[in-house]
Amino acid sequence: MSKRTYLIAACLLPAVLSAQTDGAPLWGKCSLDDLQKAPYSEWYTKNHAEYEPNPATVGQLKTVNWKDWSVTVFLGTWCGDSRREVPRFIKVLDAAGFPSEAVTLIAISAADSVYKQSAAREERGWHIYRAPTFVISKKGREVNRIVETPAVSLERDLLAIINNRYTPNYESYVYLSQWFDEGVLNDGNISHRGLARQIRHLTHSAGELNNYGRVLSKSGSDGLDAAINVYKINTYLYPEAWLPQMSLAEALYDRGDREQALEAIRKAIELNKDVQNVKRLLELEDKIKNPHNSY
């Protein structure tokens, strides 16, 4: 995290934590008691009550010895997917006899300066790019995760994870996270085209890698360099899409590469077919051309 971002987060933390009781999004470690209080209880109670886990699958889950298992849930109380899936998943765990003390809830932010981060950076090292993310661990080591929505159903997904037969959503993230950990995404000599070929069959939209890159770009200087490489990979995956080019332009500008940023934003403007995006793209182009103006 950059010094500037750290200071912003530090300044925001007391206000955000104190706001947890007045309806602001939760941020950082929280509890089921928090979610069961107003205003979060409005969606938590409803979605928990309405979901009925499959009895046969629950029956199989009940036979599992949960002694060495734990679950870490990264959620956003601002996020529709979290509001739907978290109450349901808690109900599945309860029905399966999973120990409540082995469940950790961590609320992440949607604010631009701390995007997909938690208050004390509990998400660091977990590669959290979507909300919710349910990380299933055994003896403290991750076995697998359910990302954003279940592949089949929450209880069937959990059983498949226990039986080591599960493939999560956003398979490209598995590759990208491994590349980040290995330093590949911070290597100036990588082939963006070559890496794009490796994950082409795993991606479904330009927004998939774009979201990944945005999280990286907010995590510090190393993250910004990695994000730029992710955006460049995305331009090979989706050469006719304007969004990867715009994100690339923003990241290059943030790194101080104005000439390359201008090239990318002009490409985004050329590719854009939606008049609703024109103002946004032109404003970014002007910002890159005239960085000393106030915005």
Side-chain angles (χ1 to χ4, degrees), residues 110-125:
D112 185 65
S113 60
V114 287
Y115 186 62
K116 299 290 173 68
Q117 297 175 18
S118 56
R121 294 307 306 272
E122 293 95 344
E123 90 298 335
R124 192 190 294 273

Side-chain angles (χ1 to χ4, degrees), residues 2-16:
S2 69
K3 183 177 181 181
R4 179 176 180 273
T5 303
Y6 177 82
L7 289 173
I8 291 171
C11 291
L12 286 174
L13 178 57
V16 174

Side-chain angles (χ1 to χ4, degrees), residues 95-242:
F98 195 90
S100 59
E101 64 273 14
V103 180
T104 301
L105 302 177
I106 300 174
I108 56 178
S109 176
D112 185 65
S113 60
V114 287
Y115 186 62
K116 299 290 173 68
Q117 297 175 18
S118 56
R121 294 307 306 272
E122 293 95 344
E123 90 298 335
R124 192 190 294 273
W126 287 94
H127 299 295
I128 304 301
Y129 303 101
R130 297 277 174 169
T133 295
F134 305 98
V135 181
I136 318 299
S137 301
K138 186 174 185 180
K139 294 184 177 179
R141 184 169 184 174
E142 179 178 346
V143 175
N144 215 317
R145 58 180 59 189
I146 301 171
V147 182
E148 195 173 59
T149 58
V152 181
S153 72
L154 290 167
E155 58 270 29
R156 290 182 185 274
D157 285 21
L158 179 59
L159 183 62
I161 288 172
I162 299 303
N163 292 327
N164 201 27
R165 294 186 289 102
Y166 185 71
T167 301
N169 297 324
Y170 303 105
E171 285 184 82
S172 64
Y173 288 3
V174 176
Y175 281 74
L176 290 163
S177 297
Q178 181 177 339
W179 292 341
F180 181 79
D181 286 342
E182 293 173 349
V184 172
L185 295 181
N186 287 102
D187 188 334
N189 296 324
I190 62 173
S191 167
H192 301 102
R193 187 192 301 270
L195 293 175
R197 287 196 188 104
Q198 293 187 49
I199 60 173
R200 186 180 303 280
H201 65 295
L202 301 176
T203 62
H204 301 91
S205 72
E208 188 170 326
L209 264 66
N210 229 64
N211 181 77
Y212 189 103
R214 185 182 176 198
V215 174
L216 287 178
S217 71
K218 304 301 178 182
S219 64
S221 58
D222 288 346
L224 180 59
D225 291 339
I228 288 171
N229 280 325
V230 169
Y231 294 140
K232 287 181 177 179
I233 293 169
N234 212 15
T235 64
Y236 281 100
L237 289 170
Y238 299 94
E240 302 304 317
W242 63 273

